[in-house]
Amino acid sequence: MRSWYIEDAGGGCRAFSEVLVLVSEDPCLIYQRLMPLTWNNDITFEEMARLIVVEMMIEAEASHNDYFYVCSGNIFYGLHKWLTENGYNWETTKMDGLAHDVAESAFQKQLLLAGFPAGIKLEERNYRDFYRTVESWIKEDPTRKRFFKDMTVRRKPEQFRYILKGNSSHTRKCAKCQKKISAFSPIVQYRCRENGKKKNRYYHPECSPYKPHKNKLEEAHFLWMGSVVSGVVLPLRKAAPCSVCGLELLPGTRAVHAGNGKKVICGHIECFNYVNKEELNG
Ligand SMILES: [Zn+2]
Ligand SMILES: [Zn+2]
């Protein structure tokens, strides 16, 4: 049985290839590959990383008798799934030691080969500042643009950008049916970046083009003055008194929010008499 460490480097930098490594410390065995800067976008980013690691595993003759310690980063999500589905023994781990050093120095080597000044080094794992320096160095000279990663093939697939949640106090317009989405009702939010600007689109849950990848919705159906009111649980924006007990709710507290005519009901979760929605419909 061998223990293998699987680590990456350079993923946070907008330039130069990500390095992927497969390393055994005892005996000392090192396999490493670079991700391509761009590829045909039929293959997702995670799938590309998985294919490359599996290629190294074959070359290393790694087997089901071996144990794998894998970095938990999202570049390896596809690999994590594949290892489980194929019955390998593995776990995620915070990577230190040889695998980390090998991956980092392979990434640095790419920079040096491209002519990046050798004196500027990563310090105390401050990746953000270091990558920023690398990016400004590239922008100094148009011929260096070829070192940029193709970010489009590295983007998350569209369907991962849909989140089911509770709407805030704003009424939104559904991007599909164009009808209004009431405040404090279930809503699907689509988030993306266009030319560096954040953009949002909203849908009724039944109008969403994809089943939302994340579900942050917490509904609240409760009795209020003899009738059933539906709302959602959201973190409170501004301090306010609880509509039931009158005690002050602090900002950030998860609280029941609901609209009742023009009034807003807002209060401690435990102050409300919840009713089961399924029973109501039945
Ligand atoms: Zn709609
Ligand atoms: Zn209360």
Side-chain angles (χ1 to χ4, degrees):
M1 186 195 111
R2 259 180 205 153
S3 294
W4 293 102
Y5 297 85
I6 298 173
E7 168 72 314
D8 67 306
C13 185
R14 286 180 55 223
F16 298 100
S17 289
E18 297 89 349
V19 177
L20 304 178
V21 301
L22 172 71
V23 165
S24 150
E25 292 189 348
D26 183 22
C28 180
L29 300 165
I30 295 169
Y31 298 85
Q32 59 184 64
R33 294 275 199 288
L34 297 180
M35 294 275 284
L37 283 173
T38 185
W39 61 86
N40 175 332
N41 66 3
D42 288 349
I43 299 177
T44 64
F45 175 58
E46 292 167 19
E47 178 62 1
M48 180 56 84
R50 182 195 71 81
L51 287 168
I52 292 172
V53 173
V54 171
E55 200 180 271
M56 289 192 283
M57 286 169 64
I58 294 168
E59 195 186 321
E61 292 177 16
S63 78
H64 283 88
N65 298 322
D66 296 349
Y67 201 89
F68 298 85
Y69 295 93
V70 190
C71 164
S72 60
N74 62 357
I75 190 171
F76 293 125
Y77 284 178
L79 178 70
H80 296 161
K81 196 162 159 254
W82 183 87
L83 288 168
T84 300
E85 284 171 1
N86 288 276
Y88 284 91
N89 300 309
W90 71 281
E91 64 184 81
T92 57
T93 186
K94 173 120 182 46
M95 206 66 62
D96 258 312
L98 186 63
H100 180 78
D101 296 344
V102 168
E104 271 315 320
S105 60
F107 187 70
Q108 302 287 334
K109 205 171 131 194
Q110 286 187 86
L111 307 189
L112 297 182
L113 282 173
F116 184 76
I120 306 174
K121 289 204 172 82
L122 173 71
E123 274 170 44
E124 289 167 16
R125 292 206 179 184
N126 186 343
Y127 294 100
R128 229 178 56 158
D129 285 357
F130 182 69
Y131 292 157
R132 223 175 259 166
T133 314
V134 173
E135 287 159 25
S136 0
W137 175 80
I138 289 175
K139 285 178 193 154
E140 281 168 17
D141 179 346
T143 64
R144 293 176 188 156
K145 263 194 357 207
R146 67 183 190 279
F147 300 125
F148 272 124
K149 288 179 171 92
D150 178 354
M151 296 313 284
T152 56
V153 294
R154 287 168 168 79
R155 260 201 323 235
K156 274 201 241 173
E158 285 295 286
Q159 58 265 39
F160 293 142
R161 299 174 175 277
Y162 292 80
I163 306 169
L164 177 64
K165 58 193 268 185
N167 192 14
S168 66
S169 59
H170 298 283
T171 311
R172 311 275 187 187
K173 199 165 109 184
C174 174
K176 171 128 184 272
C177 72
Q178 308 295 320
K179 291 193 184 116
K180 89 173 199 191
I181 306 170
S182 317
F184 312 126
S185 71
I187 191 169
V188 172
Q189 182 182 21
Y190 166 85
R191 292 198 291 194
C192 69
R193 257 173 194 283
E194 252 180 36
N195 308 321
K197 274 193 201 146
K198 279 187 194 160
K199 265 186 68 176
N200 284 314
R201 271 207 295 272
Y202 300 97
Y203 297 91
H204 293 106
E206 62 277 16
C207 294
S208 171
Y210 291 103
K211 185 177 176 290
H213 180 61
K214 256 197 213 158
N215 183 356
K216 295 207 285 184
L217 174 65
E218 194 179 331
E219 289 186 86
H221 310 281
F222 53 89
L223 280 174
W224 188 259
M225 314 234 176
S227 50
V228 175
V229 172
S230 291
V232 293
V233 175
L234 295 172
L236 197 70
R237 289 258 175 94
K238 270 189 269 172
C242 170
S243 305
V244 183
C245 72
L247 293 176
E248 171 126 314
L249 288 149
L250 295 173
T253 318
R254 294 184 61 75
V256 170
H257 290 73
N260 185 28
K262 289 218 161 142
K263 276 195 184 160
V264 174
I265 303 168
C266 157
H268 300 104
I269 295 172
E270 58 278 13
C271 281
F272 290 88
N273 276 322
Y274 273 35
V275 289
N276 192 321
K277 199 189 175 190
E278 276 67 50
E279 281 171 27
L280 294 173
N281 295 339

